[in-house]
Amino acid sequence: MRAALQSEIGQDKLEVVDDMEAVGFGPGKVRIRVKATGLCHSDLSAMSGVLPQPAPFIPGHEGSGVITDIGDGVTSHAIGDRVLVCWLPPCGHCPSCRRGQGHLCLEAFGNVATPNFKRAGTEIFGFAGTGTFSEEMVVPAACAIPIPDDLPFDIAALIGCGVTTGLGAAINTAKVEAGSSVAVIGCGGVGISVIQGAKVQGAAQIIAVDPVASRREAALRFGATEAVSPEEFADAKNRITAGEGFDYVFEVVGKSATAHKAYEMTRRGGSVVVVGAGALDDNFQVNMFSLFFDEKKILPSMYGGGDVLRSYERTIALWRAGRIDLANLITHRVHLAEINDALDQMRTGVALRTCIEL
């Protein structure tokens, strides 16, 4: 089959090959024919080494498709089921899952260290234990979440990570209050989903902050009440909050510098919500007096900060009701052979989300 291969960490181009094999099928596993996958900035971070990932590997962790085979012991799925790929499925029995924090389940991370592809005798990893930049993949049955027939594959793929992460940060982690003021730093696909989540929650002001003009324009279409460049952010704070700071500031970049800016722009007693996935060696520091005296809450948000299966259901319900716009979140669609062009566009900050059709 065809797949997009990264041979070494640090390469900025992927090799599209046609002799990849999905391996590991057996008890408890399902085989999926991938129909669509989203291109997420986390894929770029894995390619560059910001996020830890063994190589060689196939990027991609937002996917959807059809089950073509089921292994022994799998009773929850059937051949022909339409599914989205969950890269971090809750096991249901670990301490985190028992506490209702399935998004912090560590059991699925065992999949990350297990190669699930092979090419010319060489074992190949899939990013985050999946590897959706391929025509076919084998994953544990828990990673395959059935979806309704009316949900298009391209939208389902985005729900698998970016949309769930952004909406959940606003709804689950921050629990944005109606009438509040919100700022979102970083308005790619996840940031736009944060904006939509804040809108659903009833925020009165939603300020989008991004250096790319096209992203700022898009943020206004998706629910931001104002969009500013980073250089205009301080003026917006003074103008909108009388200098006090915003009730909630979301950092959706994954850099300590932008996290510091988010902290600075949050009012005393407000919430700084860290959504961006950063590097292991990029440290965020706050002086102890400010931490005590200003009582700003620092809220990391992993995968939307809640039960991902419930979050999927909620997202689909909001989409059906017309409360969130997911179709227009996909700025353009490409085929696997065009993946490097899509990567280049994402690096320039132009695209909100690219859907790769396989």
Side-chain angles (χ1 to χ4, degrees), residues 51-102:
L51 295 180
Q53 169 63 46
F57 75 101
I58 295 175
H61 61 291
E62 295 180 335
S64 62
V66 176
I67 291 180
T68 59
D69 203 358
I70 56 174
D72 291 342
V74 176
T75 59
S76 54
H77 299 71
I79 293 174
D81 281 356
R82 303 171 79 254
V83 297
L84 65 77
V85 176
C86 176
W87 62 272
L88 188 60
C91 71
H93 54 75
C94 73
S96 291
C97 287
R98 291 200 303 270
R99 286 191 293 263
Q101 295 177 307

Side-chain angles (χ1 to χ4, degrees), residues 4 29 64 71 86 105 121 124 165 180 196-197 207 229-230 287-288 290 330 335 348:
K29 300 290 188 69
S64 62
C86 176
C105 179
I124 310 290
T165 297
S180 60
Q196 296 203 75
I207 311 306
S229 67
N287 74 71
M288 290 300 294
S290 174
I330 305 166
H335 293 284
T348 65

Side-chain angles (χ1 to χ4, degrees), residues 183-195:
V184 180
I185 304 175
C187 298
V190 176
I192 290 294
S193 297
V194 172
I195 288 170

